[in-house]
């Protein structure tokens, strides 16, 4: 069992190659369409998907609660797809490489190519002229740069984010596929597979907790995260007052009585208040 999370520059490879690789491995192929369907199934508003999914954020997105809600639903959807696929899946984009970075059986791959090669490939992939292809590639780069910087505080140019970075400029499709498949098989052990199911389930529970507090109880916490390990939930993020933190702890003590709740949430207004003398 393994998870392959592919991130690619537009036209570094044809997206059909990623699907072909999933078919070769006998894994479930998970792309934008499947993630959107999963997010909508668990309650995400369909009209908001295109507004936030791998596009350059608008100015007001920096202050929007909808932005964090999108990320929460995305994480939950990715975890659900892993579980449904019995941990044998190939993700095309959608920040899966980052969301699943702590899952031992997940191998993250970044596919790149030089600008001229991508330009030539784009004209064939999308059946467009060179000028249109150049604009399309530039727009894609700008969108993804802004998306990952705002939502995940990442720079895709940082090669340390990935297990394998592959320059496809002078590679055939068969060579690309074989290199990735060999790397996957050589870097995922039986112990990794055993641990991963438990970790992905904990990750999903954490996202369910965050979604519950955001949507059912309308709590106001920025950069909210719930790290679940066994029967312990550790909360982190930033909120306005300590009253919000106590409110969250009371909710979870009722919703999750079998879990120990630890809060590392910071209260900004309380920390900025002048000390009493």
């Amino acid at each position: 069992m393994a998870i392959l999370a592919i991130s690619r520059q537009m036209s570094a490879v044809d997206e059909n190659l990623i699907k072909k690789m999933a078919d070769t491995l006998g894994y479930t192929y998970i792309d934008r369409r499947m993630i959107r369907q999963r997010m909508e199934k668990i309650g995400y508003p369909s009209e908001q998907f295109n507004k936030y999914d791998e596009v350059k954020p608008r100015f007001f997105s920096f202050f929007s609660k909808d932005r964090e809600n999108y990320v929460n639903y995305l994480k939950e959807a990715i975890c659900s797809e892993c579980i449904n696929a019995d941990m044998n899946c190939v993700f095309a984009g959608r920040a899966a490489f980052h969301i699943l970075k702590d899952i031992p059986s997940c191998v993250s791959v970044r596919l790149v190519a030089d600008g001229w090669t991508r330009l030539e490939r784009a004209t064939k992939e999308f059946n467009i002229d060179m000028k249109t292809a150049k604009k399309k590639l530039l727009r894609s780069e700008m969108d993804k740069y802004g998306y990952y910087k705002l939502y995940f505080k990442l720079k895709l140019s940082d090669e340390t984010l990935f297990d394998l970075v592959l320059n496809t400029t002078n590679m055939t499709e068969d060579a690309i596929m074989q290199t990735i498949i060999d790397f996957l098989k050589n870097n995922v052990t039986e112990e990794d597979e055993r641990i991963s199911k438990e970790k992905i389930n904990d990750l999903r529970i954490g996202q369910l907790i965050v979604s519950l507090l955001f949507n059912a109880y309308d709590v106001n916490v920025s950069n909210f995260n719930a790290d679940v390990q066994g029967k312990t939930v550790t909360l982190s993020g930033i909120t306005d007052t300590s009253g919000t933190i106590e409110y969250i702890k009371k909710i979870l003590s009722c919703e999750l009585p079998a879990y120990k709740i630890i809060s590392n949430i910071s209260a900004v207004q309380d920390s900025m208040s002048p000390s009493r003398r």
Side-chain angles (χ1 to χ4, degrees):
M1 296 181 294
I3 301 166
L4 185 56
I6 303 287
S7 169
R8 68 182 180 111
Q9 290 181 314
M10 178 175 279
S11 297
V13 298
D14 190 307
E15 189 169 352
N16 288 327
L17 178 66
I18 303 175
K19 186 178 186 305
K20 184 179 178 181
M21 189 155 41
D23 292 339
T24 300
L25 288 164
Y27 286 9
T28 301
Y29 173 66
I30 302 167
D31 61 1
R32 182 178 191 271
R33 178 185 60 83
M34 291 183 67
I35 289 297
R36 178 173 186 162
Q37 289 176 349
R38 174 63 60 181
M39 288 174 68
E40 291 174 357
K41 187 174 182 179
I42 58 180
Y44 188 71
S46 59
E47 67 275 8
Q48 291 192 17
F49 186 82
N50 288 338
K51 183 178 178 182
Y52 293 102
D53 184 67
E54 288 200 356
V55 296
K56 184 180 179 182
R58 299 174 183 175
F59 176 77
F60 288 106
S61 295
F62 285 84
F63 312 102
S64 174
K65 184 176 178 181
D66 289 342
R67 171 179 62 84
E68 290 205 35
N69 207 33
Y70 160 79
V71 174
N72 292 334
Y73 273 104
L74 175 64
K75 290 179 179 180
E76 186 180 337
I78 285 176
C79 291
S80 295
E81 290 295 339
C82 287
I83 293 168
N84 287 346
D86 197 28
M87 306 296 284
N88 290 326
C89 48
V90 177
F91 284 94
R94 317 275 79 79
F97 75 89
H98 175 67
I99 292 168
L100 301 174
K101 62 183 173 57
D102 294 323
I103 305 303
S105 67
C106 179
V107 170
S108 58
V109 179
R110 175 72 170 162
L111 301 176
V112 300
D114 67 42
W116 181 251
T117 299
R118 291 195 297 123
L119 192 60
E120 286 189 318
R121 289 173 180 173
T123 61
K124 297 174 183 177
E125 183 179 356
F126 302 107
N127 193 27
I128 53 180
D129 59 41
M130 283 282 189
K131 184 177 180 180
T132 305
K134 187 175 182 179
K135 289 181 179 179
K136 191 175 185 68
L137 292 177
L138 181 60
R139 176 61 184 269
S140 173
E141 292 295 311
M142 291 176 64
D143 278 345
K144 288 188 177 181
Y145 178 84
Y147 173 82
Y148 281 97
K149 183 178 180 181
L150 175 61
Y151 296 145
F152 303 104
K153 297 180 175 63
L154 301 176
K155 287 186 177 180
L156 282 177
S157 57
D158 182 0
E159 295 187 354
T160 64
L161 297 173
F162 304 95
D163 299 310
L164 174 66
V165 178
L166 203 57
N167 188 327
T168 68
T169 300
N170 297 310
M171 297 181 70
T172 65
E173 289 194 346
D174 286 344
I176 294 166
M177 282 181 52
Q178 196 58 54
T179 300
I180 295 172
I181 291 172
D182 287 346
F183 187 87
L184 180 73
K185 291 180 177 179
N186 291 331
N187 285 274
V188 177
T189 67
E190 291 184 3
E191 181 66 9
D192 291 335
E193 295 173 359
R194 186 187 67 78
I195 295 171
S196 292
K197 271 196 171 183
E198 182 179 331
K199 280 187 168 290
I200 202 75
N201 191 56
D202 284 347
L203 184 60
R204 181 170 181 266
I205 291 171
Q207 285 312 130
L208 288 170
I209 291 170
V210 172
S211 295
L212 171 74
L213 292 169
F214 256 86
N215 297 296
Y217 292 97
D218 197 32
V219 301
N220 182 24
V221 181
S222 300
N223 301 317
F224 195 18
N225 185 63
D227 179 46
V228 178
Q229 295 187 22
K231 291 295 182 180
T232 301
V233 179
T234 303
L235 307 172
S236 60
I238 303 170
T239 188
D240 47 5
T241 67
S242 56
T244 302
I245 299 172
E246 293 306 313
Y247 176 55
I248 290 170
K249 290 168 73 174
K250 286 180 180 179
I251 292 169
L252 294 183
S253 66
C254 294
E255 295 281 0
L256 302 169
Y259 285 76
K260 178 183 178 182
I261 309 299
I262 300 172
S263 175
N264 291 328
I265 300 172
S266 300
V268 176
Q269 288 185 12
D270 289 355
S271 64
M272 294 175 65
S273 300
S275 58
R276 297 180 180 178
R277 296 184 179 180

